[in-house]
Amino acid sequence: MEICNKLGRTLTNAISYKIMNKVFSLIGLLVLTTTFGQEKWDLRTCVDHAVAHNLTVNQSKIQQEIIANDLENTRSQWLPNVGAYLDNSFTYGTHHPMINKSYQQYNNSLGVNSSITIYQGGLLNLNKERAALNVEASQFQTDQISDNIALQVVNYYLNVMLNRELLQIAQGNLTMSTEQVDRSKILFEGGRIAEAEWVQAEANRAQDVKNVADAKIEVDRALFNLSVLLQLEDYRNFDVEPIALPDDLTLGLYDLDQILAIAYAEQPAVKKAEIDLEMAAKDIRIAQTSLKPTISGSYNLGTSYADYFNKGLMTDAWLSQWHENLTQVVGVSVKIPIFEKFTNKLNIQRAKISESLAQNAMAQEKQKIKENVQEAYFNALSSYEAFQAAKESVRSNALSADFAQKSLDAGVINRYDLNIAQNNLMVAKAQMAQAKFNFIFRMKVLDFYAGIPLTEGL
């Protein structure tokens, strides 16, 4: 949130003290009205809800079900195919040698047949193993999406906490400027200060009222953004539990090489890349099975019936023919690839190229993880230094503002100089709050790569 500077000039007309009191009371009433009856969510609840209801995560889970179905399909491929058939036909012939004239014949055949793959170069097992790897890869894909959503939730949640702290700073400044107005009024009525100083105090208070209103809007905006990320139907009754975060934060960094080792071993993106590389190796072996012979077996049990509608051509009864024409056929076939227009060779080459791409993709993922960890490590260090500098700035500006107040009371400086000192203090507090929450989030990113749950420690 952008912290507005206080007015640095004297207003020509005094702002009514009663009106400003009403404005201040109205702001307080709005705060109470909007927060009353709201359901408060903690960080763990927000993360769980976001992961459970995010459409991208759900889409990935549905894709997992499809891939799991493919695995079940490969597990049953060794079973034989069994089918039944029933054929009927009617023939009109122009000449039959037995009756020397045209004829009409009805034919009927039925039976069952089955076929089974006996050997196919290990293709069935390879397909099953590849499908199992694909199921595992899809789970890592879902985990990766879930982790990204969780990081966003933590960031948005901390942004709510930041804006609430900025609101507290603005409210504290408003309280102080209200006290200044009360004091200036008494001094003016006692003839100890000019009217211009009282008017200046009123102007400063008016600006602080606006700062509080702006800060409240930023709190609501941060809550709205978080509710959108959680995909809530109604954001108006949504609120989050506060997190008590002290100002005496310490820097507890890990060893960079240790974090990298953990990230390489546990990050879903790296695990998925490793599984993709294994699947690419399986694809090569699957393509190579096309060079091996295929042995299959078959079995057929069937019968037939024929009837002539011409006189002089007698046929046995229907059931008699079915019984007498019953046949069984058992067969074994071997298919040996000799020349397939270089298709098999090209498929193997394509699979090897895909393996090279998978190796490069895994290297890219590890490089990306390394860059992210190094960036998180650097950001944690630099944000901690910025936080420490901001704390020192608050301490110095607090001393300056206190000295300015005493100087004003002693008549050494005017109210304009006091306003500058108090404004500098407010800006320093806001910068320290921003630096604090920035440091906390950077540490959570570092914790994430170190394998520590995002909600732990908050």
Side-chain angles (χ1 to χ4, degrees):
M1 185 197 72
E2 181 182 0
I3 306 295
C4 299
N5 292 325
K6 295 181 179 179
L7 292 176
R9 60 185 180 83
T10 303
L11 296 178
T12 56
N13 297 315
I15 301 175
S16 170
Y17 183 66
K18 182 182 296 186
I19 294 176
M20 296 314 300
N21 274 335
K22 289 183 178 180
V23 173
F24 186 40
S25 300
L26 180 60
I27 292 174
L29 180 61
L30 288 174
V31 172
L32 292 175
T33 302
T34 56
T35 57
F36 179 74
Q38 291 177 334
E39 178 186 0
K40 293 184 181 293
W41 295 37
D42 60 14
L43 180 57
R44 178 74 267 172
T45 303
C46 289
V47 171
D48 292 342
H49 182 89
V51 172
H53 294 82
N54 183 266
L55 295 179
T56 305
V57 174
N58 290 337
Q59 182 178 0
S60 182
K61 289 180 179 179
I62 295 172
Q63 187 66 31
Q64 278 185 253
E65 295 179 7
I66 296 175
I67 296 174
N69 185 270
D70 293 338
L71 174 59
E72 291 300 320
N73 184 47
T74 60
R75 288 173 175 171
S76 62
Q77 290 305 302
W78 63 272
L79 295 172
N81 294 320
V82 179
Y85 61 91
L86 175 63
D87 295 329
N88 295 277
S89 63
F90 196 85
T91 304
Y92 294 90
T94 58
H95 179 266
H96 196 285
M98 294 182 63
I99 59 176
N100 198 27
K101 64 178 181 178
S102 62
Y103 67 96
Q104 297 84 38
Q105 179 183 4
Y106 168 73
N107 293 89
N108 167 268
S109 62
L110 71 160
V112 293
N113 52 32
S114 176
S115 63
I116 186 171
T117 300
I118 301 174
Y119 175 77
Q120 203 173 2
L123 179 62
L124 298 182
N125 284 333
L126 289 172
N127 283 334
K128 183 172 65 176
E129 292 170 359
R130 189 192 188 283
L133 289 173
N134 200 20
V135 170
E136 193 174 357
S138 67
Q139 179 61 58
F140 290 136
Q141 177 70 28
T142 302
D143 292 343
Q144 183 180 0
I145 298 173
S146 300
D147 287 345
N148 291 337
I149 296 298
L151 273 174
Q152 290 184 53
V153 171
V154 172
N155 188 18
Y156 281 35
Y157 199 102
L158 290 177
N159 192 44
V160 175
M161 298 298 104
L162 167 62
N163 282 283
R164 281 183 172 172
E165 189 159 328
L166 295 177
L167 174 59
Q168 291 177 355
I169 294 172
Q171 289 172 335
N173 213 55
L174 177 57
T175 300
M176 185 170 57
S177 63
T178 301
E179 294 173 354
Q180 291 291 336
V181 169
D182 295 339
R183 182 183 302 178
S184 298
K185 181 181 179 182
I186 294 173
L187 293 176
F188 170 70
E189 291 176 349
R192 299 178 58 185
I193 63 173
E195 183 180 4
E197 290 197 38
W198 180 27
V199 172
Q200 180 64 53
E202 290 277 10
N204 293 335
R205 186 176 183 276
Q207 183 61 48
D208 289 338
V209 169
K210 181 181 183 302
N211 289 342
V212 170
D214 290 341
K216 177 60 176 62
I217 292 173
E218 291 305 316
V219 171
D220 293 339
R221 190 192 309 279
L223 283 170
F224 171 75
N225 291 336
L226 179 57
S227 70
V228 171
L229 182 60
L230 298 179
Q231 297 182 351
L232 301 180
E233 294 184 0
D234 188 356
Y235 71 91
R236 291 171 295 181
N237 294 322
F238 171 70
D239 197 7
V240 296
E241 291 285 353
I243 300 177
L245 298 173
D247 292 338
D248 56 343
L249 300 175
T250 57
L251 181 64
L253 286 179
Y254 310 90
D255 179 76
L256 182 58
D257 294 333
Q258 181 183 9
I259 299 176
L260 278 173
I262 295 174
Y264 287 155
E266 297 186 4
Q267 281 297 302
V270 177
K271 290 183 177 181
K272 182 181 181 301
E274 292 173 347
I275 296 299
D276 289 342
L277 181 58
E278 290 186 51
M279 286 195 295
K282 290 288 182 187
D283 288 337
I284 294 177
R285 295 180 60 187
I286 290 173
Q288 290 173 341
T289 60
S290 62
L291 302 178
K292 299 178 180 180
T294 300
I295 302 175
S296 58
S298 62
Y299 173 76
N300 182 80
L301 173 63
T303 186
S304 61
Y305 167 82
D307 190 12
Y308 294 91
F309 295 94
N310 298 72
K311 294 180 179 181
L313 292 174
M314 303 301 294
T315 58
D316 294 334
W318 196 318
L319 294 179
S320 297
Q321 288 196 46
W322 273 1
H323 175 72
E324 294 174 356
N325 295 338
L326 189 66
T327 58
Q328 299 185 61
V329 180
V330 178
V332 176
S333 63
V334 179
K335 179 182 178 181
I336 302 174
I338 297 176
F339 180 71
E340 300 288 343
K341 298 181 291 188
F342 301 109
T343 301
N344 296 335
K345 179 181 178 181
L346 292 174
N347 287 338
I348 294 173
Q349 291 178 351
R350 186 180 294 109
K352 290 182 178 180
I353 294 173
S354 296
E355 184 185 37
S356 299
L357 290 174
Q359 289 175 339
N360 187 71
M362 186 177 69
Q364 284 181 329
E365 286 297 338
K366 287 189 174 182
Q367 179 63 27
K368 188 185 300 182
I369 292 294
K370 182 179 180 180
E371 292 174 357
N372 290 343
V373 169
Q374 289 177 339
E375 182 181 7
Y377 193 88
F378 172 80
N379 288 337
L381 283 172
S382 59
S383 60
Y384 182 75
E385 293 175 357
F387 172 64
Q388 292 298 323
K391 282 181 64 176
E392 179 61 26
S393 177
V394 170
R395 189 191 67 82
S396 300
N397 281 281
L399 292 174
S400 176
D402 182 65
F403 181 77
Q405 181 64 59
K406 293 178 180 178
S407 298
L408 177 67
D409 295 339
V412 177
I413 64 173
N414 56 30
R415 186 162 301 279
Y416 179 76
D417 295 327
L418 175 63
N419 293 338
I420 293 177
Q422 291 177 340
N423 183 68
N424 291 338
L425 177 59
M426 184 183 69
V427 172
K429 287 181 178 179
Q431 290 175 343
M432 188 184 77
Q434 292 170 336
K436 179 176 70 173
F437 283 95
N438 184 47
F439 167 67
I440 292 172
F441 178 70
R442 298 302 182 184
M443 285 300 298
K444 294 312 297 179
V445 174
L446 201 60
D447 289 346
F448 166 71
Y449 286 112
I452 299 176
L454 288 171
T455 56
E456 185 174 316
L458 289 178

